[in-house]
Amino acid sequence: MTEFLSFAMNGLVLGLLFALVALGFTLILGVMQVINFTHGILFALGAYFAFSMQRYVGFWFALLLAPLLVGVVGLILERLVIHRTYGGNPLFGLLLTFGLATALEEVIRMVWGKTGYSVAAPKFAAGSFDLGFMIYSKYRLILAVLAIVVILLVWLFLEKTPYGAIIKAGASDAEMVMALGKNLPRMRSFVFVIGSILAGVAGVIAAPIWSVRPTMGTAILMPAMVIVVLGGIGSFWGSILAGLIVGLSTS
C-alpha cells in the first residue's frame, strides 16, 4: 500500500506539471491554430535559465526571472517567424516550429554543453515530510503547490478579466474576435507569451526532479500533445484533468 501511495503521489505531482505545460500549449493551439513544437524547448530554456541564475539570485528570483526571459524568447519567435504561418495550412506551422525546436535544441548544446546537469532542490525544500502514512519528498509537495497556484492564477485571469474573456473567445473563433474589432495580431502575440511563460515556469520547477538536459523539451512535448487531444483543444479544465490522468498513467 505504501508503494502504491508513493506511485500515486508521484503521478499526481507529475500530472500537475504536465497540466501546467499543456495549458500553454492548448492556449496557443486554440488561438493560433498552430501545433507549436517549440513549446518543449521553451520548457527546457526555463530550466536552463533558472539553472544558470540560481547560484546568483536564489530559487525565488530565478522562478520569477527565468519564465519572463522565456516569454521574451517566445515573443521574438512569434513576431519574427511563427506569425507568418497564421491562416495558412496548419502543416506549415508544424514544420516551421519543428525546425525551430531542432535548431534551438542545438543552441542549448552549444551554450550549456551536451551533458546534463543535476539541480539541487532549494535548501528550504530539501528533505522529506512525514505524512503519517508515508515519507514523501518535501520538494515534490512544494512543486505541486506551486503548480496549483499558477494554474489557479491562470484560471482567474481567464475567467475574471476582460482580456481573459477575449482570449477564451479567440480560442473558440479567432476570426470572429477580429470581426468584432479586437486586435487579433496583438492578442496572438500576448497568448504566445503567456503560453511561453507557463512552459518556463514548468521548466524551472521541474529541473530539480528531472535534471537539466538538452532533450528534456522533447520528453515533455509528447505528453503535452496527448493531454491536449485528450482534454480537448482550448479546454482549461479538460487539460488539467487529462494532465492528471497522463501523470498517473505514467507513474
Side-chain angles (χ1 to χ4, degrees):
M1 181 57 68
T2 301
E3 290 181 1
F4 173 79
L5 291 173
S6 177
F7 283 123
M9 290 287 289
N10 286 340
L12 288 173
V13 172
L14 185 62
L16 287 168
L17 184 64
F18 283 163
L20 194 57
V21 177
L23 274 181
F25 193 90
T26 194
L27 282 174
I28 291 171
L29 180 57
V31 174
M32 282 84 157
Q33 305 299 313
V34 171
I35 300 174
N36 179 27
F37 272 100
T38 63
H39 203 69
I41 291 299
L42 295 170
F43 168 83
L45 286 175
Y48 272 100
F49 287 155
F51 167 72
S52 301
M53 289 179 183
Q54 279 187 31
R55 70 190 74 175
Y56 304 110
V57 300
F59 175 78
W60 292 111
F61 275 109
L63 180 60
L64 177 65
L65 296 175
L68 292 178
L69 283 176
V70 174
V72 172
V73 173
L75 179 62
I76 291 170
L77 292 175
E78 195 274 337
R79 282 289 83 203
L80 285 183
V81 287
I82 295 176
H83 79 280
R84 300 173 187 273
T85 65
Y86 297 159
N89 189 324
L91 188 61
F92 295 159
L94 186 150
L95 291 173
L96 174 63
T97 56
F98 179 78
L100 285 172
T102 304
L104 288 171
E105 188 174 307
E106 292 306 314
V107 170
I108 287 176
R109 288 190 172 93
M110 288 188 288
V111 174
W112 283 282
K114 297 180 181 179
T115 58
Y117 302 94
S118 60
V119 180
K123 291 182 180 179
F124 67 87
S128 303
F129 272 130
D130 185 352
L131 300 177
F133 55 89
M134 64 181 293
I135 305 295
Y136 198 70
S137 164
K138 188 184 294 185
Y139 183 75
R140 285 179 180 268
L141 291 175
I142 292 173
L143 184 156
V145 172
L146 287 173
I148 290 170
V149 168
V150 174
I151 288 168
L152 289 176
L153 288 174
V154 174
W155 178 80
L156 287 172
F157 170 73
L158 292 174
E159 293 293 328
K160 305 298 182 181
T161 65
Y163 210 83
I166 295 171
I167 291 173
K168 287 199 302 177
S172 299
D173 192 339
E175 299 304 322
M176 182 59 69
V177 169
M178 185 169 63
L180 293 173
K182 303 300 180 182
N183 190 324
L184 187 59
R186 183 184 300 172
M187 184 189 73
R188 282 171 165 166
S189 297
F190 181 76
V191 170
F192 201 93
V193 170
I194 293 296
S196 301
I197 289 174
L198 289 175
V201 170
V204 174
I205 62 179
I209 294 178
W210 282 23
S211 77
V212 177
R213 59 190 188 279
T215 57
M216 65 186 300
T218 305
I220 197 71
L221 186 62
M222 290 302 109
M225 293 183 69
V226 171
I227 290 165
V228 169
V229 173
L230 188 62
I233 296 172
S235 172
F236 183 93
W237 293 113
S239 295
I240 305 301
L241 180 59
L244 294 175
I245 291 171
V246 172
L248 285 167
S249 303
T250 302
S251 183

